[in-house]
Amino acid sequence: MNIRQLEAFHVVMETGSVTLAGEKLGISQSAVSKLLKSFAESCGFKLFTRSGGRMLPTPDAKLLANEVERLFTGTDRIRRLAQAVKDREWGQVTVAAPAALSARFLARILGPMMGRQSDIHVKLINQPSPRIAELVTTQQIDIGLSVQPFDHPHVTSQSILRFAMNCALPAGHRLARNNVVSVEDLRHERFIGLARDDCSIMTIDRAFQLQGVQKNSHVEVPMSETACDFVAAGAGVSIVPPFVGLGYGPDQIVRRPLLPVTAMDVWLLMPATRPPSLAAQKIVEVIRDAMHPYHLRSDHAWT
């Protein structure tokens, strides 16, 4: 008993004709008859009787056909699944990113794609950049987004975004009238800062230190999105990436470029010891495209 015999039996059951089965399978009528004969011999009972030019299944063949139908239904599903993988419409992908990206930004950019392609399954993990590097190294995740570079033979690391930090101001704040905000402008402002373990805190602190400005820390929060919540409520000002707090309109938060330019990078980390799945490649493309508008260009007028 082999798959070709099962296929011939399955198609004859569907069409009721050896001739039609041959046409569907792309083989001759005699070849179909030989496959049916050898299949019947393997089964040990008669499968069909002839009546008016049609092949009528015996009761035993009908019982057998139910199991064969399930087999070919599964085969069709595998075929469709293989095509979906090829077309990058199926796959399981785990993405890890710091809170500034994972809290809302990734949901905004991946949500539309996930709505269109229900067979791609994404698991999004919120982790600090050092932990993300570890997860990529041990192949526990497929895609890592980090604000720190990472050099390891088992990890590919590529900068996919260089962005300038923005000053987030409550709507109606006096500095909102300015086209840009300098660190000096923030000398006496109530500042919404990030926790000491946030990777961006060193970059922000250095910007203040270089200008000889002491931050007037008013509130400390765990992530940039929360900082925007406080800014929108009028609790103070903050320095955040340009892709956070996007749920707030200009009537709640005003964003202004910060001078001197304070830049950071987003690094794409992926396992180097195995090729990414087609689904992972598609997600990377979506992330790259969504980050492009935030890329810091050398021709910015305020630089």
Side-chain angles (χ1 to χ4, degrees):
M1 188 179 298
N2 57 52
I3 190 64
R4 196 59 171 164
Q5 294 171 351
L6 290 169
E7 189 176 27
F9 172 71
H10 177 63
V11 177
V12 171
M13 288 293 295
E14 283 186 332
T15 62
S17 167
V18 172
T19 302
L20 293 176
E23 292 175 358
K24 190 169 183 178
L25 293 171
I27 59 178
S28 66
Q29 178 180 338
S30 61
V32 175
S33 297
K34 288 179 181 179
L35 287 169
L36 290 177
K37 181 180 178 182
S38 58
F39 184 48
E41 290 173 351
S42 298
C43 293
F45 52 81
K46 194 171 184 177
L47 297 174
F48 296 96
T49 59
R50 288 187 177 275
S51 177
R54 290 186 59 82
M55 300 286 287
L56 300 179
T58 64
D60 293 329
K62 290 180 180 179
L63 291 174
L64 187 61
N66 292 331
E67 292 301 318
V68 174
E69 174 68 25
R70 278 194 281 269
L71 169 66
F72 279 93
T73 298
T75 302
D76 288 341
R77 183 179 181 278
I78 292 171
R79 186 181 296 111
R80 292 194 301 272
L81 179 59
Q83 185 64 43
V85 171
K86 180 182 177 182
D87 294 339
R88 300 193 292 183
E89 295 176 349
W90 188 92
Q92 297 182 354
V93 182
T94 303
V95 183
L101 289 165
S102 63
R104 291 178 187 166
F105 180 71
L106 288 178
R108 279 176 171 266
I109 65 175
L110 295 178
M113 183 195 75
M114 298 301 296
R116 294 190 303 269
Q117 297 182 263
S118 59
D119 286 332
I120 290 183
H121 305 276
V122 172
K123 181 178 182 181
L124 183 58
I125 302 174
N126 173 23
Q127 292 289 341
S129 291
R131 176 57 179 158
I132 291 170
E134 294 176 9
L135 293 173
V136 177
T137 303
T138 55
Q139 299 189 29
Q140 296 181 60
I141 61 175
D142 302 292
I143 300 170
L145 298 174
S146 170
V147 294
Q148 293 180 331
F150 185 67
D151 185 18
H152 191 281
H154 294 162
V155 176
T156 62
S157 177
Q158 181 184 14
S159 176
I160 60 172
L161 174 65
R162 185 167 182 80
F163 63 90
M165 301 290 278
N166 288 174
C167 182
L169 307 160
H173 192 280
R174 64 178 184 85
L175 292 176
R177 297 191 296 268
N178 300 350
N179 292 327
V180 297
V181 173
S182 70
V183 172
E184 178 62 36
D185 292 332
L186 304 178
R187 182 178 291 274
H188 301 296
E189 295 294 331
R190 293 182 300 178
F191 194 80
I192 313 300
L194 300 175
R196 304 310 303 177
D197 59 352
D198 189 282
C199 291
S200 68
I201 193 68
M202 292 180 61
T203 301
I204 296 171
D205 282 353
R206 180 169 174 76
F208 276 79
Q209 291 166 4
L210 289 174
Q211 300 303 308
V213 176
Q214 179 69 40
K215 280 193 305 182
N216 178 21
S217 296
H218 186 54
V219 179
E220 183 178 293
V221 296
M223 58 184 182
S224 300
E225 288 288 350
T226 309
C228 288
D229 294 337
F230 275 92
V231 172
V237 305
S238 191
I239 295 175
V240 297
F243 42 77
V244 303
L246 298 180
Y248 290 108
D251 59 329
Q252 295 172 295
I253 291 180
V254 175
R255 295 169 176 80
R256 292 291 182 261
L258 179 70
L259 290 181
V261 174
T262 303
M264 294 187 67
D265 293 274
V266 174
W267 297 81
L268 172 69
L269 309 181
M270 300 182 75
T273 53
R274 58 176 170 82
S277 68
L278 294 174
Q281 292 178 37
K282 184 165 188 174
I283 288 176
V284 168
E285 289 175 7
V286 172
I287 292 172
R288 284 180 182 274
D289 290 344
M291 287 185 171
H292 182 72
Y294 303 103
H295 191 71
L296 175 62
R297 303 189 310 273
S298 58
D299 61 346
H300 272 302
W302 43 267
T303 61

